[in-house]
């Protein structure tokens, strides 16, 4: 049975619309109810900081600082069989961000991953199938950095190799010697690109199997996921780094002259995409709005299963106004499969959108404040 680590309390200071706030949570469903603009999503964002050390909607930490404040502070008390554990995230513009777990400052945000894993589901995610490739890559990266230290290392190494190669492409415009360095750096870049792609492919094969089971239970449709690289769909199980190295080497040859003109790398995992086939048809082109929503619900449930299998710990669920976007059957399936097992935090405009879950705690939210109905 998977371990349950729960977020029992949340403390905020100068975070978004909240000058001060302290909340105590239920082990199951916690619902934040209030009108648009009341600050419901801000609470989910604060919890996301405790999970991943970052926002799910802002590129810069400074955007989360309350107006007129000199920084923000978010603290969560986690509880499991071993006892309580405090996680703190503090940020001040000009001074940076400090993350502490159990009173110990972490050397990097990556050290926080897995402490309180999470799966977030927002209305923007419903565009997964028809949105840009970068959104699908980010979806996979955010999931895998929580569950795999080797993936985190490969992602960091690839980003460093990519930055170095891009810098050499820019230098090549002005320095003849840079061309020789590009040739020398090619093997190192291919090694890092292939290693990352192989990890992605292996993980996507597992996630695809889980998502296919969830979608089958929800709608009866079949689902297959594949990587699209260089315009070609690649079977996810093709996870050998050597095969990916050959693929990227051929792609680099094909775009070599264009890269020199444009000054950045045009082949590698940062250019790949993820293809979803619903009953054998490309979801980007043929999926209806209802099918897209079913697909994303299945993917989110697959994320829960993937994290549970890899970490032996259930993630918490952050559901931001998605119940208003899902019909009754999808809403019921999401509640049945996830909320009865994982601690869940959701936002809703009114009580009519709340699922019926025993032991749920409901918070009425208004600008700058939130109050539990049960006291």
């Amino acid at each position: 049975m998977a371990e349950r680590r729960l977020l029992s309390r949340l403390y905020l200071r100068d975070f978004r619309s909240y000058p001060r706030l302290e909340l105590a949570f239920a082990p199951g469903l916690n619902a934040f109810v209030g009108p648009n603009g009341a600050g419901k999503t801000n609470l989910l964002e604060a919890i996301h900081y405790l999970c991943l050390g970052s926002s799910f909607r802002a590129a810069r930490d400074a955007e989360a600082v309350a107006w007129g404040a000199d920084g923000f502070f978010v603290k969560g008390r986690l509880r499991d069989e071993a006892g309580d554990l405090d996680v703190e995230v503090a940020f001040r513009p000009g001074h940076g961000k400090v993350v502490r777990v159990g009173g110990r400052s972490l050397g990097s945000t990556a050290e926080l991953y897995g402490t309180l894993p999470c799966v977030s589901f927002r209305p923007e995610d419903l565009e997964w199938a028809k949105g840009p490739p970068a959104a699908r890559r980010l979806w996979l990266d955010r999931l895998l950095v929580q569950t795999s230290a080797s993936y985190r290392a490969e992602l960091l190494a690839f980003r460093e190799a990519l930055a170095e190669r891009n810098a050499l492409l820019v230098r090549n415009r002005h320095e003849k010697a840079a061309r020789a360095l590009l040739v020398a750096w090619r093997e190192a870049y291919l090694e890092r690109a292939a290693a990352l792609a192989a990890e992605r492919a292996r993980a996507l094969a597992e996630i695809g199997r889980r998502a296919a089971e969830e979608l089958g239970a929800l709608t009866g449709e079949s689902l297959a996921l594949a990587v699209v690289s260089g315009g070609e769909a690649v079977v996810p199980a093709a996870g050998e780094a050597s095969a990916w190295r050959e693929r990227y080497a051929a792609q680099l040859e094909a775009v070599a002259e264009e890269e020199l003109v444009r000054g950045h790398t045009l082949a590698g995992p940062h250019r790949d995409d993820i293809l979803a086939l619903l009953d054998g048809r490309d979801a980007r082109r043929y999926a209806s709005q209802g099918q897209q929503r079913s697909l994303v619900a299945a993917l989110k449930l697959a994320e829960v299963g993937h994290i549970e299998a890899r970490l032996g710990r259930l993630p918490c669920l952050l559901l931001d106004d998605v119940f208003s976007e899902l019909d009754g059957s999808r809403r019921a399936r999401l509640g049945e499969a996830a909320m009865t097992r994982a601690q869940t935090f959701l936002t809703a405009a009114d009580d009519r959108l709340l699922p019926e879950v025993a032991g749920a705690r409901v918070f009425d939210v208004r600008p700058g404040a939130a109050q539990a109905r049960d006291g």
Side-chain angles (χ1 to χ4, degrees), residues 323-335:
F323 273 36
S324 63
E325 304 287 342
L326 300 174
D327 63 21
S329 63
R330 296 180 181 91
R331 196 180 304 165
R333 175 60 180 161
L334 192 61

Side-chain angles (χ1 to χ4, degrees), residues 35-354:
N36 292 336
K40 303 185 300 295
T41 300
N42 296 345
L43 295 171
L44 297 190
E45 183 183 20
I47 296 171
H48 195 273
Y49 263 100
L50 297 175
C51 298
L52 294 177
S54 63
S55 168
F56 55 38
R57 62 178 177 173
R60 300 185 307 115
D61 295 313
E63 296 179 41
V65 178
W67 181 258
D70 62 0
F72 70 71
F73 176 75
V74 178
K75 177 180 175 180
R77 177 151 295 164
L78 312 184
R79 179 164 296 165
D80 59 19
E81 294 179 354
D84 291 342
L85 180 69
D86 287 346
V87 175
E88 302 171 5
V89 181
F91 172 78
R92 289 179 61 194
H95 294 80
K97 181 166 53 184
V98 176
V99 180
R100 297 185 181 89
V101 175
R104 179 180 69 88
S105 295
L106 304 185
S108 69
T109 302
E111 294 180 37
L112 177 63
Y113 299 157
T115 304
L116 181 66
C118 73
V119 171
S120 63
F121 190 178
R122 308 180 64 214
E124 293 88 337
D125 295 328
L126 294 170
E127 292 295 315
W128 187 94
K130 296 191 176 181
R136 287 181 285 277
R137 292 192 299 268
L138 180 60
W139 161 76
L140 189 57
D141 285 343
R142 279 181 169 172
L143 173 58
L144 299 187
V145 296
Q146 295 192 77
T147 59
S148 172
S150 65
Y151 188 82
R152 294 195 292 269
E154 294 295 356
L155 183 61
L156 178 60
F158 170 73
R159 287 175 174 172
E160 291 175 347
L162 178 63
E164 180 67 23
R165 190 170 191 275
N166 285 341
L168 288 172
L169 284 166
V170 172
R171 284 175 55 191
N172 180 70
R173 296 173 175 176
H174 311 288
E175 303 174 25
K176 292 182 179 180
R179 178 69 69 96
L181 288 173
L182 268 172
V183 174
W185 188 251
R186 180 176 180 274
E187 294 305 313
Y189 172 76
L190 285 173
E191 179 182 353
R192 298 272 61 86
L196 181 66
E199 284 241 23
R200 273 187 182 171
R202 287 190 290 268
L204 191 63
E206 177 189 337
I207 296 162
R209 286 192 295 271
R210 294 181 183 278
E213 292 175 2
E214 297 291 350
L215 188 66
L218 185 61
T219 69
E221 294 172 293
S222 69
L223 171 66
L225 300 181
V227 178
V228 178
S229 184
E232 176 187 5
V234 182
V235 178
E240 291 298 327
S242 58
W244 284 101
R245 187 197 174 285
E246 293 177 9
R247 182 173 290 108
Y248 289 140
Q251 291 176 20
L252 287 179
E253 289 293 332
V255 298
E257 294 305 318
E258 186 180 359
E259 283 187 333
L260 293 175
V261 173
R262 296 176 61 176
H264 57 265
T265 303
L266 299 177
H270 65 298
R271 305 280 295 187
D272 291 345
D273 197 359
I274 299 170
L275 171 67
L277 297 173
L278 293 177
D279 286 341
R281 293 159 61 93
D282 186 347
R284 290 175 297 186
R285 298 183 179 181
Y286 300 109
S288 67
Q289 189 175 62
Q291 286 175 314
Q292 290 181 57
R293 292 174 176 182
S294 295
L295 167 61
V296 175
L299 288 170
K300 293 302 174 181
L301 291 169
E303 288 185 55
V304 173
H306 179 79
I307 290 174
E308 180 181 3
R310 291 297 182 93
L311 298 182
R313 176 179 299 155
L314 280 163
C316 65
L317 281 171
L318 310 179
L319 308 180
D320 188 17
D321 196 30
V322 294
F323 273 36
S324 63
E325 304 287 342
L326 300 174
D327 63 21
S329 63
R330 296 180 181 91
R331 196 180 304 165
R333 175 60 180 161
L334 192 61
E336 175 189 358
M339 292 182 198
T340 55
R341 299 172 62 229
Q343 188 179 29
T344 301
F345 303 88
L346 68 81
T347 67
D350 59 63
D351 289 2
R352 291 173 296 175
L353 295 171
L354 298 182

